[in-house]
Amino acid sequence: MVQLSPIYINKEKTKSRIYYYDAIKALAIYLVCIYHYNNLNTNILDNPNFGVYINYFFYGISSIAVPLFFMVNGALLLNKSYNLRSHLKKVLYLYILVSVWSFIYSVIFIPIEGVSYSIKEFLMAWFFLKEGTSEHLWFLKALISVYLLFPFIKEFYDVPGRKLLKLFCCIVFVFSFGNLFLINLLNSAKFVFGSNYLNDNSFDFFPMVNPFGNYSYTLFYFIVGAVLSEKIKSNKINVSTKVLVTSFFTALFALFLYGVLMTVSSNTFYDTVWNGYYSIMTLIMSASTFVFFSKLTYANDKVNNCLTIIGASTLGIYLVHRFVGAVTIPYFRGLILSNGLVLNIIYGLLLVLGSLLIVLLLKKLPLLRKIVNI
């Protein structure tokens, strides 16, 4: 069992931490790791057997990882005061951090490809987050976008009645969740009548009108997390655990069915994680998970300490797991039954723990600790 050293107890202020936030972050980073690095057999086209369908069903759970991170961020930031100058410094530091890590990934992984890059090509790969190298850093760029709008959202949030906040949320919802929901309905209807499909979540039902980019749904999750945490704190959410669990698995099953529909109709694997972030199904799953974790009892100090360590290190794990996964995944794929659900669940856990150990080591080094912290 990893123990908290005095420096972490003082630095992270564990006594004042909200443990269900840490538990949610721990789950989210685990789902990120198992999504990025797994050997699950989810190919329901070539292997349409029961085990593969089960894998594909549980695969969709990872769609809540990114939403949960934004919900916890919103809960932490919108429900307390802030200093604009300090906030802008944080945004700038985060942008620098993305640039530094994109450069690190590029220097290490591009040579492994065995392809020669000109200086211009290297700079393009570094700046635009090359696929297969540093594209997973899109999450941090989306976070930067939310942080840039945070001062305005905070003003809306703090006004009694929150009329402007509600209007803002409605607009964001329509152009993200609403747009995708229309795509879901159209594709489902066309499946029934045997016609062609959009097969593209980027289709815009509101061309030339949509004021937001691809990741506008993150703003909605950011605000929803803050509102839910506020209501949880004031005991205004009276939903039973049974209802939460039922809602979660009903939404997951709907996401699974839509994924099967899209995979079969297009004859191409439909990624219910990447394509599910701003689906109504994932929104229900994420909100249910957030409230569910708030209802758990966090009475065990050792468990809470572990949650605190992971919760305070999720950014570092996110940045480091790219290396740990790249090194270990070839060996994992060589194992018997490595395409089954159980072994992948265990591998995901080991990936998180391995990355965590590296992050804790980096945090003890004066210069390197800054590249795994905000």
PDB file of all heavy atoms in Angstrom, residues 271-305:
ATOM      1  N   ASP A 271     -17.080   3.553 -32.909  1.00  0.00           N
ATOM      2  CA  ASP A 271     -16.480   3.778 -31.601  1.00  0.00           C
ATOM      3  C   ASP A 271     -17.475   4.491 -30.691  1.00  0.00           C
ATOM      4  O   ASP A 271     -17.676   5.699 -30.805  1.00  0.00           O
ATOM      5  CB  ASP A 271     -15.207   4.607 -31.751  1.00  0.00           C
ATOM      6  CG  ASP A 271     -14.383   4.672 -30.467  1.00  0.00           C
ATOM      7  OD1 ASP A 271     -14.944   4.400 -29.388  1.00  0.00           O
ATOM      8  OD2 ASP A 271     -13.181   4.981 -30.550  1.00  0.00           O
ATOM      9  N   THR A 272     -18.090   3.737 -29.792  1.00  0.00           N
ATOM     10  CA  THR A 272     -19.106   4.322 -28.899  1.00  0.00           C
ATOM     11  C   THR A 272     -18.499   5.228 -27.830  1.00  0.00           C
ATOM     12  O   THR A 272     -19.230   5.950 -27.157  1.00  0.00           O
ATOM     13  CB  THR A 272     -19.919   3.213 -28.204  1.00  0.00           C
ATOM     14  OG1 THR A 272     -19.028   2.287 -27.576  1.00  0.00           O
ATOM     15  CG2 THR A 272     -20.791   2.481 -29.212  1.00  0.00           C
ATOM     16  N   VAL A 273     -17.176   5.178 -27.685  1.00  0.00           N
ATOM     17  CA  VAL A 273     -16.511   6.054 -26.720  1.00  0.00           C
ATOM     18  C   VAL A 273     -16.293   7.428 -27.342  1.00  0.00           C
ATOM     19  O   VAL A 273     -16.844   8.438 -26.889  1.00  0.00           O
ATOM     20  CB  VAL A 273     -15.176   5.459 -26.243  1.00  0.00           C
ATOM     21  CG1 VAL A 273     -14.482   6.416 -25.266  1.00  0.00           C
ATOM     22  CG2 VAL A 273     -15.407   4.109 -25.575  1.00  0.00           C
ATOM     23  N   TRP A 274     -15.497   7.482 -28.378  1.00  0.00           N
ATOM     24  CA  TRP A 274     -15.188   8.757 -29.034  1.00  0.00           C
ATOM     25  C   TRP A 274     -16.451   9.427 -29.569  1.00  0.00           C
ATOM     26  O   TRP A 274     -16.629  10.642 -29.453  1.00  0.00           O
ATOM     27  CB  TRP A 274     -14.193   8.531 -30.165  1.00  0.00           C
ATOM     28  CG  TRP A 274     -13.861   9.770 -30.927  1.00  0.00           C
ATOM     29  CD1 TRP A 274     -14.299  10.140 -32.161  1.00  0.00           C
ATOM     30  CD2 TRP A 274     -13.010  10.856 -30.488  1.00  0.00           C
ATOM     31  NE1 TRP A 274     -13.792  11.365 -32.518  1.00  0.00           N
ATOM     32  CE2 TRP A 274     -12.995  11.817 -31.511  1.00  0.00           C
ATOM     33  CE3 TRP A 274     -12.264  11.076 -29.328  1.00  0.00           C
ATOM     34  CZ2 TRP A 274     -12.264  12.999 -31.412  1.00  0.00           C
ATOM     35  CZ3 TRP A 274     -11.533  12.261 -29.229  1.00  0.00           C
ATOM     36  CH2 TRP A 274     -11.536  13.203 -30.261  1.00  0.00           C
ATOM     37  N   ASN A 275     -17.342   8.629 -30.144  1.00  0.00           N
ATOM     38  CA  ASN A 275     -18.567   9.176 -30.712  1.00  0.00           C
ATOM     39  C   ASN A 275     -19.687   9.342 -29.678  1.00  0.00           C
ATOM     40  O   ASN A 275     -20.760   9.838 -30.014  1.00  0.00           O
ATOM     41  CB  ASN A 275     -19.080   8.269 -31.841  1.00  0.00           C
ATOM     42  CG  ASN A 275     -18.132   8.244 -33.023  1.00  0.00           C
ATOM     43  OD1 ASN A 275     -17.643   9.275 -33.455  1.00  0.00           O
ATOM     44  ND2 ASN A 275     -17.874   7.053 -33.549  1.00  0.00           N
ATOM     45  N   GLY A 276     -19.409   8.917 -28.444  1.00  0.00           N
ATOM     46  CA  GLY A 276     -20.459   8.967 -27.439  1.00  0.00           C
ATOM     47  C   GLY A 276     -20.358  10.111 -26.454  1.00  0.00           C
ATOM     48  O   GLY A 276     -21.294  10.331 -25.673  1.00  0.00           O
ATOM     49  N   TYR A 277     -19.271  10.873 -26.480  1.00  0.00           N
ATOM     50  CA  TYR A 277     -19.056  11.909 -25.476  1.00  0.00           C
ATOM     51  C   TYR A 277     -20.243  12.857 -25.338  1.00  0.00           C
ATOM     52  O   TYR A 277     -20.616  13.250 -24.238  1.00  0.00           O
ATOM     53  CB  TYR A 277     -17.796  12.719 -25.797  1.00  0.00           C
ATOM     54  CG  TYR A 277     -16.502  11.961 -25.615  1.00  0.00           C
ATOM     55  CD1 TYR A 277     -15.437  12.167 -26.477  1.00  0.00           C
ATOM     56  CD2 TYR A 277     -16.343  11.046 -24.580  1.00  0.00           C
ATOM     57  CE1 TYR A 277     -14.243  11.480 -26.317  1.00  0.00           C
ATOM     58  CE2 TYR A 277     -15.153  10.350 -24.421  1.00  0.00           C
ATOM     59  CZ  TYR A 277     -14.104  10.572 -25.290  1.00  0.00           C
ATOM     60  OH  TYR A 277     -12.929   9.888 -25.128  1.00  0.00           O
ATOM     61  N   TYR A 278     -20.805  13.278 -26.463  1.00  0.00           N
ATOM     62  CA  TYR A 278     -21.911  14.234 -26.369  1.00  0.00           C
ATOM     63  C   TYR A 278     -23.233  13.610 -26.821  1.00  0.00           C
ATOM     64  O   TYR A 278     -24.111  14.279 -27.382  1.00  0.00           O
ATOM     65  CB  TYR A 278     -21.612  15.517 -27.147  1.00  0.00           C
ATOM     66  CG  TYR A 278     -21.212  15.366 -28.598  1.00  0.00           C
ATOM     67  CD1 TYR A 278     -22.085  15.745 -29.607  1.00  0.00           C
ATOM     68  CD2 TYR A 278     -19.963  14.883 -28.950  1.00  0.00           C
ATOM     69  CE1 TYR A 278     -21.721  15.644 -30.934  1.00  0.00           C
ATOM     70  CE2 TYR A 278     -19.589  14.774 -30.272  1.00  0.00           C
ATOM     71  CZ  TYR A 278     -20.469  15.152 -31.268  1.00  0.00           C
ATOM     72  OH  TYR A 278     -20.101  15.038 -32.593  1.00  0.00           O
ATOM     73  N   SER A 279     -23.375  12.324 -26.517  1.00  0.00           N
ATOM     74  CA  SER A 279     -24.653  11.664 -26.737  1.00  0.00           C
ATOM     75  C   SER A 279     -25.512  11.798 -25.475  1.00  0.00           C
ATOM     76  O   SER A 279     -24.986  11.956 -24.371  1.00  0.00           O
ATOM     77  CB  SER A 279     -24.450  10.187 -27.066  1.00  0.00           C
ATOM     78  OG  SER A 279     -23.932   9.489 -25.938  1.00  0.00           O
ATOM     79  N   ILE A 280     -26.811  11.733 -25.644  1.00  0.00           N
ATOM     80  CA  ILE A 280     -27.726  11.784 -24.508  1.00  0.00           C
ATOM     81  C   ILE A 280     -27.446  10.613 -23.569  1.00  0.00           C
ATOM     82  O   ILE A 280     -27.525  10.739 -22.341  1.00  0.00           O
ATOM     83  CB  ILE A 280     -29.194  11.734 -24.986  1.00  0.00           C
ATOM     84  CG1 ILE A 280     -29.512  12.919 -25.909  1.00  0.00           C
ATOM     85  CG2 ILE A 280     -30.135  11.723 -23.789  1.00  0.00           C
ATOM     86  CD1 ILE A 280     -29.436  14.270 -25.234  1.00  0.00           C
ATOM     87  N   MET A 281     -27.082   9.472 -24.142  1.00  0.00           N
ATOM     88  CA  MET A 281     -26.812   8.273 -23.340  1.00  0.00           C
ATOM     89  C   MET A 281     -25.636   8.493 -22.388  1.00  0.00           C
ATOM     90  O   MET A 281     -25.721   8.190 -21.188  1.00  0.00           O
ATOM     91  CB  MET A 281     -26.538   7.071 -24.246  1.00  0.00           C
ATOM     92  CG  MET A 281     -27.730   6.653 -25.084  1.00  0.00           C
ATOM     93  SD  MET A 281     -27.928   7.674 -26.589  1.00  0.00           S
ATOM     94  CE  MET A 281     -26.835   6.839 -27.724  1.00  0.00           C
ATOM     95  N   THR A 282     -24.553   9.049 -22.920  1.00  0.00           N
ATOM     96  CA  THR A 282     -23.373   9.287 -22.080  1.00  0.00           C
ATOM     97  C   THR A 282     -23.635  10.373 -21.047  1.00  0.00           C
ATOM     98  O   THR A 282     -23.116  10.321 -19.931  1.00  0.00           O
ATOM     99  CB  THR A 282     -22.161   9.654 -22.960  1.00  0.00           C
ATOM    100  OG1 THR A 282     -21.863   8.553 -23.821  1.00  0.00           O
ATOM    101  CG2 THR A 282     -20.934   9.958 -22.107  1.00  0.00           C
ATOM    102  N   LEU A 283     -24.447  11.357 -21.407  1.00  0.00           N
ATOM    103  CA  LEU A 283     -24.818  12.398 -20.447  1.00  0.00           C
ATOM    104  C   LEU A 283     -25.545  11.792 -19.251  1.00  0.00           C
ATOM    105  O   LEU A 283     -25.248  12.121 -18.097  1.00  0.00           O
ATOM    106  CB  LEU A 283     -25.709  13.445 -21.131  1.00  0.00           C
ATOM    107  CG  LEU A 283     -26.284  14.539 -20.235  1.00  0.00           C
ATOM    108  CD1 LEU A 283     -25.173  15.338 -19.560  1.00  0.00           C
ATOM    109  CD2 LEU A 283     -27.193  15.461 -21.048  1.00  0.00           C
ATOM    110  N   ILE A 284     -26.474  10.891 -19.509  1.00  0.00           N
ATOM    111  CA  ILE A 284     -27.208  10.217 -18.428  1.00  0.00           C
ATOM    112  C   ILE A 284     -26.260   9.352 -17.602  1.00  0.00           C
ATOM    113  O   ILE A 284     -26.310   9.360 -16.359  1.00  0.00           O
ATOM    114  CB  ILE A 284     -28.349   9.350 -19.008  1.00  0.00           C
ATOM    115  CG1 ILE A 284     -29.399  10.241 -19.663  1.00  0.00           C
ATOM    116  CG2 ILE A 284     -28.984   8.481 -17.917  1.00  0.00           C
ATOM    117  CD1 ILE A 284     -30.462   9.481 -20.421  1.00  0.00           C
ATOM    118  N   MET A 285     -25.386   8.619 -18.262  1.00  0.00           N
ATOM    119  CA  MET A 285     -24.422   7.765 -17.568  1.00  0.00           C
ATOM    120  C   MET A 285     -23.499   8.594 -16.673  1.00  0.00           C
ATOM    121  O   MET A 285     -23.206   8.223 -15.530  1.00  0.00           O
ATOM    122  CB  MET A 285     -23.598   6.970 -18.579  1.00  0.00           C
ATOM    123  CG  MET A 285     -24.379   5.897 -19.330  1.00  0.00           C
ATOM    124  SD  MET A 285     -23.542   5.378 -20.859  1.00  0.00           S
ATOM    125  CE  MET A 285     -21.967   4.802 -20.211  1.00  0.00           C
ATOM    126  N   SER A 286     -23.035   9.719 -17.194  1.00  0.00           N
ATOM    127  CA  SER A 286     -22.086  10.563 -16.453  1.00  0.00           C
ATOM    128  C   SER A 286     -22.749  11.193 -15.233  1.00  0.00           C
ATOM    129  O   SER A 286     -22.176  11.190 -14.133  1.00  0.00           O
ATOM    130  CB  SER A 286     -21.538  11.664 -17.369  1.00  0.00           C
ATOM    131  OG  SER A 286     -20.874  11.110 -18.489  1.00  0.00           O
ATOM    132  N   ALA A 287     -23.947  11.727 -15.409  1.00  0.00           N
ATOM    133  CA  ALA A 287     -24.661  12.343 -14.292  1.00  0.00           C
ATOM    134  C   ALA A 287     -24.995  11.299 -13.231  1.00  0.00           C
ATOM    135  O   ALA A 287     -24.863  11.561 -12.022  1.00  0.00           O
ATOM    136  CB  ALA A 287     -25.934  13.018 -14.796  1.00  0.00           C
ATOM    137  N   SER A 288     -25.408  10.114 -13.657  1.00  0.00           N
ATOM    138  CA  SER A 288     -25.722   9.033 -12.710  1.00  0.00           C
ATOM    139  C   SER A 288     -24.495   8.627 -11.920  1.00  0.00           C
ATOM    140  O   SER A 288     -24.563   8.410 -10.708  1.00  0.00           O
ATOM    141  CB  SER A 288     -26.284   7.824 -13.466  1.00  0.00           C
ATOM    142  OG  SER A 288     -27.480   8.143 -14.138  1.00  0.00           O
ATOM    143  N   THR A 289     -23.358   8.532 -12.606  1.00  0.00           N
ATOM    144  CA  THR A 289     -22.104   8.158 -11.942  1.00  0.00           C
ATOM    145  C   THR A 289     -21.683   9.208 -10.932  1.00  0.00           C
ATOM    146  O   THR A 289     -21.268   8.888  -9.811  1.00  0.00           O
ATOM    147  CB  THR A 289     -20.989   7.964 -12.987  1.00  0.00           C
ATOM    148  OG1 THR A 289     -21.369   6.937 -13.907  1.00  0.00           O
ATOM    149  CG2 THR A 289     -19.679   7.568 -12.316  1.00  0.00           C
ATOM    150  N   PHE A 290     -21.790  10.475 -11.315  1.00  0.00           N
ATOM    151  CA  PHE A 290     -21.400  11.576 -10.436  1.00  0.00           C
ATOM    152  C   PHE A 290     -22.205  11.542  -9.137  1.00  0.00           C
ATOM    153  O   PHE A 290     -21.641  11.613  -8.033  1.00  0.00           O
ATOM    154  CB  PHE A 290     -21.622  12.903 -11.158  1.00  0.00           C
ATOM    155  CG  PHE A 290     -20.980  14.089 -10.500  1.00  0.00           C
ATOM    156  CD1 PHE A 290     -19.707  14.500 -10.861  1.00  0.00           C
ATOM    157  CD2 PHE A 290     -21.652  14.814  -9.520  1.00  0.00           C
ATOM    158  CE1 PHE A 290     -19.106  15.597 -10.261  1.00  0.00           C
ATOM    159  CE2 PHE A 290     -21.076  15.908  -8.911  1.00  0.00           C
ATOM    160  CZ  PHE A 290     -19.792  16.299  -9.273  1.00  0.00           C
ATOM    161  N   VAL A 291     -23.517  11.407  -9.264  1.00  0.00           N
ATOM    162  CA  VAL A 291     -24.383  11.388  -8.077  1.00  0.00           C
ATOM    163  C   VAL A 291     -24.163  10.101  -7.282  1.00  0.00           C
ATOM    164  O   VAL A 291     -24.139  10.121  -6.040  1.00  0.00           O
ATOM    165  CB  VAL A 291     -25.861  11.523  -8.478  1.00  0.00           C
ATOM    166  CG1 VAL A 291     -26.767  11.427  -7.251  1.00  0.00           C
ATOM    167  CG2 VAL A 291     -26.099  12.855  -9.198  1.00  0.00           C
ATOM    168  N   PHE A 292     -23.987   8.987  -7.979  1.00  0.00           N
ATOM    169  CA  PHE A 292     -23.766   7.698  -7.305  1.00  0.00           C
ATOM    170  C   PHE A 292     -22.538   7.751  -6.400  1.00  0.00           C
ATOM    171  O   PHE A 292     -22.589   7.324  -5.240  1.00  0.00           O
ATOM    172  CB  PHE A 292     -23.606   6.592  -8.345  1.00  0.00           C
ATOM    173  CG  PHE A 292     -23.275   5.241  -7.758  1.00  0.00           C
ATOM    174  CD1 PHE A 292     -24.273   4.425  -7.234  1.00  0.00           C
ATOM    175  CD2 PHE A 292     -21.961   4.783  -7.709  1.00  0.00           C
ATOM    176  CE1 PHE A 292     -23.968   3.181  -6.681  1.00  0.00           C
ATOM    177  CE2 PHE A 292     -21.644   3.552  -7.158  1.00  0.00           C
ATOM    178  CZ  PHE A 292     -22.645   2.748  -6.640  1.00  0.00           C
ATOM    179  N   PHE A 293     -21.432   8.283  -6.902  1.00  0.00           N
ATOM    180  CA  PHE A 293     -20.210   8.364  -6.101  1.00  0.00           C
ATOM    181  C   PHE A 293     -20.361   9.314  -4.921  1.00  0.00           C
ATOM    182  O   PHE A 293     -19.704   9.149  -3.899  1.00  0.00           O
ATOM    183  CB  PHE A 293     -19.028   8.772  -6.982  1.00  0.00           C
ATOM    184  CG  PHE A 293     -18.336   7.619  -7.646  1.00  0.00           C
ATOM    185  CD1 PHE A 293     -18.868   7.040  -8.783  1.00  0.00           C
ATOM    186  CD2 PHE A 293     -17.167   7.090  -7.133  1.00  0.00           C
ATOM    187  CE1 PHE A 293     -18.260   5.970  -9.394  1.00  0.00           C
ATOM    188  CE2 PHE A 293     -16.537   6.016  -7.737  1.00  0.00           C
ATOM    189  CZ  PHE A 293     -17.087   5.445  -8.870  1.00  0.00           C
ATOM    190  N   SER A 294     -21.218  10.309  -5.070  1.00  0.00           N
ATOM    191  CA  SER A 294     -21.439  11.238  -3.953  1.00  0.00           C
ATOM    192  C   SER A 294     -22.200  10.574  -2.813  1.00  0.00           C
ATOM    193  O   SER A 294     -22.153  11.038  -1.672  1.00  0.00           O
ATOM    194  CB  SER A 294     -22.203  12.470  -4.436  1.00  0.00           C
ATOM    195  OG  SER A 294     -23.568  12.164  -4.672  1.00  0.00           O
ATOM    196  N   LYS A 295     -22.911   9.484  -3.105  1.00  0.00           N
ATOM    197  CA  LYS A 295     -23.717   8.804  -2.095  1.00  0.00           C
ATOM    198  C   LYS A 295     -22.925   7.739  -1.338  1.00  0.00           C
ATOM    199  O   LYS A 295     -23.409   7.197  -0.342  1.00  0.00           O
ATOM    200  CB  LYS A 295     -24.934   8.153  -2.773  1.00  0.00           C
ATOM    201  CG  LYS A 295     -25.905   9.154  -3.383  1.00  0.00           C
ATOM    202  CD  LYS A 295     -26.987   8.474  -4.208  1.00  0.00           C
ATOM    203  CE  LYS A 295     -27.999   7.774  -3.325  1.00  0.00           C
ATOM    204  NZ  LYS A 295     -28.834   8.713  -2.580  1.00  0.00           N
ATOM    205  N   LEU A 296     -21.722   7.428  -1.807  1.00  0.00           N
ATOM    206  CA  LEU A 296     -20.904   6.423  -1.133  1.00  0.00           C
ATOM    207  C   LEU A 296     -20.329   6.982   0.163  1.00  0.00           C
ATOM    208  O   LEU A 296     -20.153   8.202   0.321  1.00  0.00           O
ATOM    209  CB  LEU A 296     -19.768   5.959  -2.047  1.00  0.00           C
ATOM    210  CG  LEU A 296     -20.174   5.282  -3.359  1.00  0.00           C
ATOM    211  CD1 LEU A 296     -18.933   4.899  -4.166  1.00  0.00           C
ATOM    212  CD2 LEU A 296     -21.038   4.053  -3.100  1.00  0.00           C
ATOM    213  N   THR A 297     -20.015   6.086   1.086  1.00  0.00           N
ATOM    214  CA  THR A 297     -19.422   6.487   2.361  1.00  0.00           C
ATOM    215  C   THR A 297     -17.907   6.355   2.293  1.00  0.00           C
ATOM    216  O   THR A 297     -17.393   5.286   1.958  1.00  0.00           O
ATOM    217  CB  THR A 297     -19.953   5.603   3.509  1.00  0.00           C
ATOM    218  OG1 THR A 297     -21.377   5.729   3.559  1.00  0.00           O
ATOM    219  CG2 THR A 297     -19.361   6.034   4.843  1.00  0.00           C
ATOM    220  N   TYR A 298     -17.216   7.425   2.598  1.00  0.00           N
ATOM    221  CA  TYR A 298     -15.746   7.427   2.543  1.00  0.00           C
ATOM    222  C   TYR A 298     -15.210   7.504   3.975  1.00  0.00           C
ATOM    223  O   TYR A 298     -14.750   8.547   4.437  1.00  0.00           O
ATOM    224  CB  TYR A 298     -15.259   8.605   1.696  1.00  0.00           C
ATOM    225  CG  TYR A 298     -15.773   8.535   0.270  1.00  0.00           C
ATOM    226  CD1 TYR A 298     -17.000   9.124  -0.072  1.00  0.00           C
ATOM    227  CD2 TYR A 298     -15.077   7.856  -0.713  1.00  0.00           C
ATOM    228  CE1 TYR A 298     -17.502   9.034  -1.364  1.00  0.00           C
ATOM    229  CE2 TYR A 298     -15.556   7.771  -2.014  1.00  0.00           C
ATOM    230  CZ  TYR A 298     -16.770   8.359  -2.327  1.00  0.00           C
ATOM    231  OH  TYR A 298     -17.256   8.260  -3.614  1.00  0.00           O
ATOM    232  N   ALA A 299     -15.284   6.360   4.658  1.00  0.00           N
ATOM    233  CA  ALA A 299     -14.926   6.324   6.083  1.00  0.00           C
ATOM    234  C   ALA A 299     -13.586   5.661   6.348  1.00  0.00           C
ATOM    235  O   ALA A 299     -13.060   5.756   7.452  1.00  0.00           O
ATOM    236  CB  ALA A 299     -16.016   5.581   6.862  1.00  0.00           C
ATOM    237  N   ASN A 300     -13.030   4.993   5.351  1.00  0.00           N
ATOM    238  CA  ASN A 300     -11.754   4.300   5.528  1.00  0.00           C
ATOM    239  C   ASN A 300     -10.603   5.232   5.163  1.00  0.00           C
ATOM    240  O   ASN A 300     -10.469   5.654   4.008  1.00  0.00           O
ATOM    241  CB  ASN A 300     -11.733   3.040   4.659  1.00  0.00           C
ATOM    242  CG  ASN A 300     -10.528   2.173   4.946  1.00  0.00           C
ATOM    243  OD1 ASN A 300      -9.390   2.604   4.825  1.00  0.00           O
ATOM    244  ND2 ASN A 300     -10.782   0.920   5.314  1.00  0.00           N
ATOM    245  N   ASP A 301      -9.774   5.564   6.145  1.00  0.00           N
ATOM    246  CA  ASP A 301      -8.689   6.525   5.922  1.00  0.00           C
ATOM    247  C   ASP A 301      -7.689   6.052   4.879  1.00  0.00           C
ATOM    248  O   ASP A 301      -7.181   6.847   4.075  1.00  0.00           O
ATOM    249  CB  ASP A 301      -7.954   6.813   7.235  1.00  0.00           C
ATOM    250  CG  ASP A 301      -8.798   7.639   8.197  1.00  0.00           C
ATOM    251  OD1 ASP A 301      -9.733   8.305   7.711  1.00  0.00           O
ATOM    252  OD2 ASP A 301      -8.526   7.614   9.408  1.00  0.00           O
ATOM    253  N   LYS A 302      -7.387   4.746   4.895  1.00  0.00           N
ATOM    254  CA  LYS A 302      -6.414   4.220   3.927  1.00  0.00           C
ATOM    255  C   LYS A 302      -6.951   4.322   2.501  1.00  0.00           C
ATOM    256  O   LYS A 302      -6.225   4.701   1.578  1.00  0.00           O
ATOM    257  CB  LYS A 302      -6.066   2.775   4.277  1.00  0.00           C
ATOM    258  CG  LYS A 302      -5.233   2.622   5.535  1.00  0.00           C
ATOM    259  CD  LYS A 302      -4.823   1.182   5.754  1.00  0.00           C
ATOM    260  CE  LYS A 302      -3.937   1.059   6.996  1.00  0.00           C
ATOM    261  NZ  LYS A 302      -3.510  -0.354   7.234  1.00  0.00           N
ATOM    262  N   VAL A 303      -8.217   3.986   2.330  1.00  0.00           N
ATOM    263  CA  VAL A 303      -8.840   4.111   1.015  1.00  0.00           C
ATOM    264  C   VAL A 303      -8.875   5.572   0.586  1.00  0.00           C
ATOM    265  O   VAL A 303      -8.565   5.910  -0.564  1.00  0.00           O
ATOM    266  CB  VAL A 303     -10.267   3.526   1.032  1.00  0.00           C
ATOM    267  CG1 VAL A 303     -10.982   3.837  -0.283  1.00  0.00           C
ATOM    268  CG2 VAL A 303     -10.224   2.026   1.262  1.00  0.00           C
ATOM    269  N   ASN A 304      -9.229   6.455   1.510  1.00  0.00           N
ATOM    270  CA  ASN A 304      -9.274   7.884   1.198  1.00  0.00           C
ATOM    271  C   ASN A 304      -7.902   8.417   0.818  1.00  0.00           C
ATOM    272  O   ASN A 304      -7.781   9.255  -0.086  1.00  0.00           O
ATOM    273  CB  ASN A 304      -9.822   8.661   2.395  1.00  0.00           C
ATOM    274  CG  ASN A 304     -11.287   8.371   2.649  1.00  0.00           C
ATOM    275  OD1 ASN A 304     -11.986   7.858   1.784  1.00  0.00           O
ATOM    276  ND2 ASN A 304     -11.758   8.695   3.845  1.00  0.00           N
ATOM    277  N   ASN A 305      -6.865   7.957   1.507  1.00  0.00           N
ATOM    278  CA  ASN A 305      -5.505   8.381   1.181  1.00  0.00           C
ATOM    279  C   ASN A 305      -5.122   7.947  -0.231  1.00  0.00           C
ATOM    280  O   ASN A 305      -4.502   8.707  -0.989  1.00  0.00           O
ATOM    281  CB  ASN A 305      -4.514   7.815   2.185  1.00  0.00           C
ATOM    282  CG  ASN A 305      -4.558   8.531   3.526  1.00  0.00           C
ATOM    283  OD1 ASN A 305      -5.102   9.631   3.634  1.00  0.00           O
ATOM    284  ND2 ASN A 305      -4.005   7.912   4.551  1.00  0.00           N
TER     285      ASN A 305
END
